Amino acid sequence: MANRQLENGNGARRVTVREGASHALLDDVAKQIIEQLQEDGRRPYATIGKAVGLSEAAVRQRVQRLLDAGVMQIVAVTDPLQLGFPRQAMIGLRTDGDLESVADRLAELEAIDYVVITAGSFDLLAEVVCRNDEHLLEILQKLRTVPGVVSTEAFVYLKLRKQTYSWGTA
């Protein structure tokens, strides 16, 4: 099982990508804890404990194990428009060479919030949140200089109709 820490420009932890993570931590109680936190990431452990039939300490330990294993993150989700980032886009990239190393290079770029390897007409998709169209153009120019990137196509978001992080547990 491989772990990779991706860091932002300041060296702070951004996200842990855990390859081959075990589902052993996801019993029914763990799933209920995750669902409680998806409803309200600030819900007290004592309240969660009452809902799932555990003590506050047991919930705290389970949450820490889920965090340490990379199963979940507890983060503040912001509205980019409210923070001064009115331009969002999904960028499709076609590549040549080692696809995973290109994806890793893109994931290192602070301007990119999301990178996924895909099947279909694009090899990779990258999501960006920008200050304005000029900022988007700067990012596109930077992406085109990444070794292995052959072409890019930007899909500018005009209006966001739905965004959720509550896909539950399988």
Side-chain angles (χ1 to χ4, degrees):
M1 182 178 329
N3 290 320
R4 290 179 292 159
Q5 288 281 355
L6 303 179
E7 297 181 357
N8 68 18
N10 301 328
R13 180 172 169 248
R14 282 187 80 175
V15 69
T16 300
V17 177
R18 194 162 171 85
E19 299 169 5
S22 169
H23 296 287
L25 293 171
L26 292 179
D27 62 9
D28 288 338
V29 174
K31 291 177 184 182
Q32 290 174 30
I33 291 170
I34 291 169
E35 289 165 1
Q36 290 282 314
L37 289 168
Q38 284 177 322
E39 287 176 20
D40 180 357
R42 295 174 41 171
R43 184 166 288 159
Y45 291 149
T47 303
I48 295 170
K50 287 176 188 169
V52 303
L54 293 176
S55 69
E56 178 181 351
V59 171
R60 179 176 284 106
Q61 288 174 346
R62 281 184 172 246
V63 167
Q64 192 60 53
R65 274 187 272 166
L66 292 166
L67 293 169
D68 291 345
V71 171
M72 69 175 191
Q73 297 177 57
I74 300 172
V75 299
V77 178
T78 59
D79 179 352
L81 293 173
Q82 297 293 323
L83 296 176
F85 295 96
R87 177 60 68 221
Q88 293 177 268
M90 183 67 67
I91 302 169
L93 298 104
R94 291 183 182 89
T95 66
D96 66 6
D98 181 16
L99 181 58
E100 293 203 19
S101 59
V102 176
D104 289 344
R105 280 190 224 112
L106 295 178
E108 292 170 0
L109 298 175
E110 188 172 349
I112 296 182
D113 297 313
Y114 174 84
V115 177
V116 63
I117 297 172
T118 66
S121 60
F122 295 104
D123 300 309
L124 300 168
L125 292 175
E127 186 176 47
V128 296
V129 177
C130 307
R131 293 183 303 276
N132 51 38
D133 288 337
E134 186 173 322
H135 186 211
L136 175 58
L137 181 58
E138 289 171 18
I139 292 169
L140 287 168
Q141 290 171 336
K142 187 174 210 170
L143 292 179
R144 291 176 181 140
T145 66
V146 171
V149 172
V150 174
S151 66
T152 63
E153 185 172 344
F155 300 90
V156 175
Y157 299 1
L158 298 177
K159 186 179 264 190
L160 184 62
R161 297 302 271 187
K162 181 178 181 180
Q163 183 173 22
T164 181
Y165 299 99
S166 59
W167 45 80
T169 55

